[in-house]
């Protein structure tokens, strides 16, 4: 599957991705934190982003809000989460109220490729396991730079790939499950550099991905059994396809074709968001 370039195709992909992560499937297989390494890796990113009281963080593609709520509690910062899915925003808002942090954590529906925030509104931006699903990654990286204050930092954690992935991981489902459009870590670094970031850190976390894939495979078997025993209803669930994909993902991780990494970039302290937006150019050779 190639990167969709037509606006309607891109919008369809974003909606499919949001729907998948709002589904009972995602809840059953992943819980509320939808990325390898869970909140341990989120905490690591928070430390590198130098979060603390008085700092304002934007969590792009915040899902059910687990990371945003955790970071506000752990570092005392203010957090705004943005996600494409309306249901995810409603659930995240409720979760923040239940956690007693609604005065410092809020969620808004929006698109990472065109953020509804002013230039220079945030001290830090985090984007976990979602950059790889954005059809226009350059636009998203430029938006991260625009909404950051000079000297602000962006922290991505994402799937990375080296070489071609097996056929099972090149489908629409694989794409919206974050697999098909994973890129080599150098490409993520290049997107950030073209958006005027200096890349400060890159750290592999392959074991976190391996653990997540193992856990998903185990939970898939459990879910299949529960459906057979009529203890749970998952209409339209295609367990054979899901198991094939999970098996292929496990193999790709074992062979080092699919990995996970953290990457942190800093915006120059003398560049404004407006400047970063103006100098942003299309990256040669990167779709
Ligand atoms: C794998 S989940 C990650 C959620 C969260 N960051 C976490 O780690 O728990 C991917 C999320 O990206 C969101 N998403 C996909 N495309 C988006 C876009 N263009 N703008 C904002 N959110 C998007 C989906 O709705 C979904 O919640």
């Amino acid at each position: 599957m190639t990167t969709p370039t037509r606006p309607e195709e891109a919008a369809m992909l974003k909606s499919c991705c949001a729907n998948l992560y709002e589904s009972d499937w995602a809840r059953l297989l992943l819980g509320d934190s939808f990325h390898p390494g869970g909140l341990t890796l989120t905490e690591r990113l928070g430390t590198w982003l130098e979060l603390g009281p008085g700092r304002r963080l934007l969590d792009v593609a915040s899902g059910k809000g687990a990371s945003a709520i955790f970071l506000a509690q752990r570092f005392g910062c203010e957090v705004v989460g943005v996600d494409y899915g309306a249901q995810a925003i409603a659930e995240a808002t409720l979760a923040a109220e239940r956690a007693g942090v609604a005065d410092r954590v809020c969620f808004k529906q929006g698109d990472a490729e065109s953020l509804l925030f002013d230039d220079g509104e945030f001290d830090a931006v985090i984007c976990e396991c979602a950059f790889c699903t954005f059809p226009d990654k350059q636009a998203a990286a430029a938006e991260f730079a625009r909404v950051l204050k000079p000297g602000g930092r962006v922290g991505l954690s994402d799937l990375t790939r080296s070489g071609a992935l097996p056929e099972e991981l090149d489908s629409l489902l694989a794409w919206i499950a974050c697999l098909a459009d994973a890129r080599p870590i150098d490409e993520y670094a290049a997107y950030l550099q073209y958006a005027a970031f200096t890349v400060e850190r890159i750290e592999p976390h392959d074991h976190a991905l391996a653990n997540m894939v193992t856990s998903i495979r185990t939970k898939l078997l459990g879910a299949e059994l529960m459906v057979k025993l009529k203890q749970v209803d998952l209409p339209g669930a295609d367990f054979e396809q899901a198991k094939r994909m999970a098996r292929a993902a496990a193999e790709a991780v074992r062979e080092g074709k699919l990995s996970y990494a953290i990457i942190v970039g800093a915006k120059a302290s003398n560049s404004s968001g407006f400047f970063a937006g103006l100098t942003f150019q299309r990256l040669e050779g990167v779709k």
Side-chain angles (χ1 to χ4, degrees):
M1 198 183 143
T2 51
T3 307
T5 45
R6 296 209 338 258
E8 58 275 26
E9 282 174 356
M12 188 272 288
L13 197 67
K14 291 172 198 171
S15 294
C16 286
C17 179
N19 291 344
L20 177 79
Y21 287 101
E22 287 172 346
S23 69
D24 291 339
W25 265 99
R27 189 186 302 281
L28 207 68
L29 299 180
L30 301 169
D32 281 336
S33 184
F34 295 159
H35 59 270
L39 296 178
T40 307
L41 222 52
T42 301
E43 183 174 20
R44 193 164 179 81
L45 263 184
T47 305
W48 281 353
L49 295 177
E50 297 180 359
L51 300 181
R55 311 273 284 173
R56 197 148 183 262
L57 168 72
L58 177 66
D59 180 1
V60 178
S62 47
K64 306 245 164 126
S67 293
I69 293 167
F70 168 77
L71 290 168
Q73 289 170 328
R74 166 68 181 81
F75 295 98
C77 53
E78 197 185 309
V79 190
V80 179
V82 61
D83 198 280
Y84 205 77
Q87 192 185 317
I89 293 301
E91 288 188 34
T93 303
L94 198 62
E97 280 163 18
R98 287 203 180 120
V101 292
D103 56 331
R104 281 184 295 123
V105 183
C106 70
F107 297 93
K108 294 176 200 276
Q109 192 179 7
D111 186 345
E113 295 172 10
S114 101
L115 293 168
L116 302 167
F117 303 102
D118 290 336
D119 297 353
E121 266 200 54
F122 295 93
D123 299 289
V125 170
I126 197 168
C127 182
E128 297 172 297
C129 206
F131 191 74
C132 66
T133 71
F134 302 155
D136 193 342
K137 295 174 178 51
Q138 295 176 97
E143 282 294 83
F144 299 166
R146 184 184 64 75
V147 301
L148 274 173
K149 292 177 185 158
R153 286 197 170 84
V154 63
L156 307 183
S157 78
D158 224 320
L159 286 152
T160 63
R161 75 147 100 179
S162 51
L165 291 178
E167 206 179 302
E168 294 88 340
L169 301 183
D170 200 21
S171 62
L172 175 62
L173 179 61
W175 185 298
I176 60 185
C178 297
L179 296 165
D181 203 36
R183 304 292 178 90
I185 190 70
D186 292 351
E187 280 193 29
Y188 294 138
Y191 282 118
L192 293 186
Q193 283 158 345
Y194 264 75
F197 286 105
T198 301
V199 173
E200 292 184 326
R201 290 171 190 271
I202 293 180
E203 188 178 76
H205 283 278
D206 302 350
H207 58 285
L209 179 60
N211 289 345
M212 189 182 202
V213 172
T214 304
S215 153
I216 288 176
R217 292 186 79 187
T218 310
K219 285 181 182 166
L220 259 178
L221 296 178
E224 191 176 24
L225 188 65
M226 279 162 73
V227 167
K228 278 188 186 144
L229 294 174
K230 300 201 184 315
Q231 305 225 328
V232 84
D233 191 23
L234 286 174
D238 184 342
F239 281 102
E240 288 317 312
Q241 187 191 18
K243 284 193 291 185
R244 266 198 312 277
M245 222 174 85
R247 196 166 39 242
E251 183 106 345
V253 172
R254 240 191 330 272
E255 290 171 353
K257 289 183 182 163
L258 205 54
S259 309
Y260 202 73
I262 276 180
I263 177 164
V264 176
K267 177 172 166 173
S269 42
N270 61 357
S271 81
S272 68
F274 180 58
F275 176 76
L278 269 185
T279 57
F280 172 67
Q281 294 164 11
R282 192 149 282 275
L283 189 53
E284 286 291 317
V286 177
K287 282 185 236 140

